[in-house]
Amino acid sequence: MTARRANRTLPAVLTTSIHPTADLERAPHPDAPRATAVSVGGLRRSYGDFEAVRGIDLEVERGEIFALLGPNGAGKTTTLEILEGFRERSGGEVKVLGVDPDHGDRAWRERIGVVLQDSVPEPELTVRECLSLYAGYYSAPRDLNDTLMRVGLTELEARRCEQLSGGERRRLDVALALIGDPELLFLDEPTTGFDPAARRAMWDLVERLRSGGKTVVLTTHYMDEADRLADRIAVIARGEIVATGTPGSLGKRRQLAAEISFRIPEGVERRELPVAIGAPTTNGGDRVRVQTDDPVAALHSLTRWALDHDHELPDLELRRPTLEDVYLHLTTSKD
Ligand code: ATP
């Protein structure tokens, strides 16, 4: 629900009572014991001749955090907005909390919370008034003060929405998505524009939502965010899913080579380095980078050689493949 859909007068909304006991850690909706929160089969969406989403299949389990990753224009927002019931699809089957979003009624909409990529909260209202307005749309909204506190906006509750900074606006977006105490949250790039502390706070909040049995579907361009939060990830490129999996297993992450790097000790020639570390590559200068499938053995060989010869290994580092490495591999190899 966006602020643009609001058409009630403010005083009536501000007198709406707020459910006092709603809490993030509350158990899932008792009438909704289904194991699957979102089910998508053969989803397609065209804009004129251009097919932005080209046959996507995915399932999101209840109680998990599911991340959709992909380059700009891959089709993430299109997919999310179809699931949210804000965009029509050209083909395929979609069920969200057991309902086709094209036919979602008010009761269904109350069960989902949405953070759109671009939203326009009521500019003239204060943060608190805006949240109160939205709370009035729900039969059992969350506690207002607690919601403000959770997103770190308590201090700014009297500030007008139009005066908020970009990151503060985003926090308000999240508060507006939470206020209905939804079972399922769609977060489209929820931490864009956040400072590092605000991002960490948001991650804690999303993890608490999961602890409370909520389901979260999010998009992000921050790989560390997906790595930290997601139970499962789907990578979309050019409207198709190119990989799904847990952050640790996506794109055979565990099987990709690790990299050992260090600076060549003073007075040592490159040819003196132990052969067992394989063919080292340098980036210029005295830094050596070694790709290895067996980092434990390679490190053992290297450090034993260094100890035997009484050498330091300045700036010794072991780097495992990051989610970003895997993501770039998956999304650029399709080009
Ligand atoms: P980003 O990471 O940049 O937000 P995205 O993966 O969310 O990208 P979408 O917004 O779903 O991408 O867009 C997918 C493709 O569809 C893009 O090429 C976009 O230009 C196109 N597109 C989206 N909305 C429309 C529209 N209303 N009319 C025409 N083309 C559109």
Side-chain angles (χ1 to χ4, degrees):
M1 186 186 301
T2 66
R4 289 282 175 245
R5 291 176 189 115
N7 58 5
R8 302 188 192 188
T9 56
L10 185 59
V13 170
L14 287 176
T15 57
T16 305
S17 68
I18 292 168
H19 196 279
T21 55
D23 188 78
L24 285 181
E25 279 96 43
R26 202 165 73 173
H29 194 290
D31 296 329
R34 285 175 294 272
T36 303
V38 176
S39 153
V40 174
L43 179 63
R44 296 187 172 273
R45 170 68 208 228
S46 298
Y47 298 108
D49 291 342
F50 174 64
E51 203 170 24
V53 175
R54 303 191 292 160
I56 281 182
D57 302 313
L58 56 87
E59 294 252 317
V60 179
E61 299 298 317
R62 291 186 69 85
E64 77 174 339
I65 300 175
F66 190 92
L68 274 180
L69 307 182
N72 292 135
K76 304 179 298 297
T77 296
T78 299
T79 302
L80 227 53
E81 292 192 357
I82 290 169
L83 301 185
E84 294 159 358
F86 292 151
R87 236 181 254 217
E88 289 184 352
R89 59 187 185 266
S90 311
E93 299 297 319
V94 180
K95 284 275 160 60
V96 174
L97 299 176
V99 173
D100 182 333
D102 280 353
H103 308 296
D105 58 9
R106 186 190 168 112
W108 174 79
R109 187 148 292 287
E110 282 207 14
R111 295 168 64 199
I112 67 171
V114 171
V115 171
L116 297 168
Q117 205 171 76
D118 297 303
S119 68
V120 190
E122 307 291 328
E124 299 291 323
L125 299 188
T126 67
V127 166
R128 189 179 187 84
E129 287 167 345
C130 187
L131 203 51
S132 295
L133 176 70
Y134 275 62
Y137 298 138
Y138 298 95
S139 49
R142 283 176 43 74
D143 180 74
L144 202 101
N145 291 327
D146 181 67
T147 307
L148 285 169
M149 187 268 291
R150 298 281 186 181
V151 299
L153 282 179
T154 305
E155 311 274 295
L156 299 176
E157 65 169 21
R159 188 159 301 172
R160 289 226 307 271
C161 295
E162 65 186 355
Q163 294 167 336
L164 296 175
S165 74
E168 290 163 356
R169 268 266 309 275
R170 207 71 190 129
R171 292 192 220 181
L172 176 58
D173 291 340
V174 175
L176 295 175
L178 284 177
I179 194 67
D181 196 25
E183 291 164 54
L184 169 62
L185 271 137
F186 292 105
L187 309 177
D188 201 352
E189 300 185 23
T191 63
T192 297
F194 277 26
D195 63 49
R199 284 182 72 211
R200 293 294 165 100
M202 181 56 61
W203 294 355
D204 289 346
L205 176 62
V206 172
E207 282 174 339
R208 270 203 302 275
L209 289 167
R210 173 176 50 197
S211 309
K214 313 284 188 193
T215 309
V216 178
V217 180
L218 61 88
T219 73
T220 181
H221 288 296
Y222 301 120
M223 296 300 126
D224 55 341
E225 184 161 290
D227 212 359
R228 156 85 186 256
L229 287 180
D231 297 302
R232 285 189 309 127
I233 290 171
V235 179
I236 304 185
R238 296 178 176 178
E240 291 177 309
I241 292 190
V242 294
T244 50
T246 62
S249 68
L250 193 78
K252 303 199 175 111
R253 181 175 176 184
R254 289 196 190 92
Q255 294 165 34
L256 296 181
E259 183 183 87
I260 295 169
S261 66
F262 55 96
R263 283 194 289 117
I264 301 176
E266 223 164 280
V268 172
E269 297 289 323
R270 281 180 51 85
R271 57 182 164 72
E272 294 174 53
L273 295 172
V275 285
I277 65 168
T281 55
T282 54
N283 233 2
D286 60 354
R287 189 153 194 96
V288 175
R289 297 181 192 282
V290 183
Q291 304 288 326
T292 174
D293 293 331
D294 192 352
V296 174
L299 267 180
H300 180 70
S301 148
L302 179 65
T303 52
R304 188 176 53 198
W305 167 84
L307 288 171
D308 287 350
H309 295 82
D310 206 17
H311 291 312
E312 294 285 322
L313 286 171
D315 300 332
L316 175 64
E317 280 176 15
L318 169 66
R319 186 175 167 275
R320 300 270 185 184
T322 62
L323 183 59
E324 184 162 292
D325 294 329
V326 174
Y327 168 84
L328 288 173
H329 178 72
L330 285 167
T331 52
T332 54
S333 59
K334 285 268 159 187
D335 286 347

